[in-house]
Amino acid sequence: MELTCQECGYIDEALEFGYICKIGILPTGADELRQCPRCGAKVFLVMAEKLEEEEEQMRELSRQLAVIPGNAPEFMLREARGIIRKLNGINMRWNIAALDDFIGERQRELGLGLRRN
Ligand SMILES: [Zn+2]
C-alpha cells in the first residue's frame, strides 16, 4: 500500500515511511503514525484502508490458488508457493481459520511440503 506525504507530496510504500507509533484502538487494528523519509512530516497510515486493500488481495490470491490443479507443472507449483507465502503473511493479521484450512488443504493437494507444526 502506498502512502502520500501531505507536506511534500512524496509517495512511496508505507514500509518506507518510518514507524512512529500506533494511534487509537479500533476493532480492525490501530492506525499508525509514520514519518515521511524525505521531509520528516508526520503521515497517518489508516489501517481500515490497508485492511480493505488486503482483503481484496486475499480474495484474489485465494482465487488464484484455488484454480491450480493437483497435477500442476513445476512453474505453477512455484507460483502456488509464492501465493501461499503471501496468504500466510496476510493471515497473520486476520487469523481466519477457514483460510488457514484452505491453505493447508491446497498444500496437501499440491504436495507442497510447507506444513506448519
Ligand atoms: Zn514529506
Side-chain angles (χ1 to χ4, degrees):
M1 131 165 224
E2 285 186 341
L3 277 186
T4 305
C5 174
Q6 301 303 326
E7 289 298 319
C8 71
Y10 181 80
I11 300 174
D12 207 339
E13 284 297 311
L15 288 174
E16 299 300 321
F17 287 71
Y19 175 80
I20 299 176
C21 65
K22 289 205 179 298
I23 304 163
I25 298 181
L26 302 167
T28 51
D31 294 342
E32 291 176 8
L33 194 58
R34 289 182 175 253
Q35 190 166 32
C36 174
R38 190 200 271 170
C39 73
K42 292 181 174 60
V43 181
F44 284 100
L45 191 163
V46 181
M47 276 318 219
E49 284 174 16
K50 185 179 172 186
L51 289 173
E52 205 171 285
E53 189 178 290
E54 266 191 358
E55 191 179 4
E56 185 51 42
Q57 196 184 11
M58 199 155 55
R59 278 209 200 93
E60 181 55 33
L61 288 169
S62 298
R63 253 196 309 267
Q64 288 172 12
L65 186 60
V67 297
I68 294 177
N71 59 351
E74 181 55 33
F75 79 93
M76 283 181 92
L77 291 179
R78 257 203 307 276
E79 194 183 313
R81 276 193 205 95
I83 293 170
I84 287 168
R85 213 173 19 243
K86 282 186 210 158
L87 278 174
N88 276 330
I90 293 172
N91 206 26
M92 280 172 68
R93 267 185 295 284
W94 290 72
N95 289 314
I96 301 171
L99 181 58
D100 257 346
D101 291 347
F102 169 69
I103 294 170
E105 200 176 291
R106 294 270 46 206
Q107 281 178 339
R108 276 191 300 281
E109 285 167 6
L110 299 172
L112 301 174
L114 293 170
R115 299 206 49 194
R116 285 166 295 173
N117 304 328

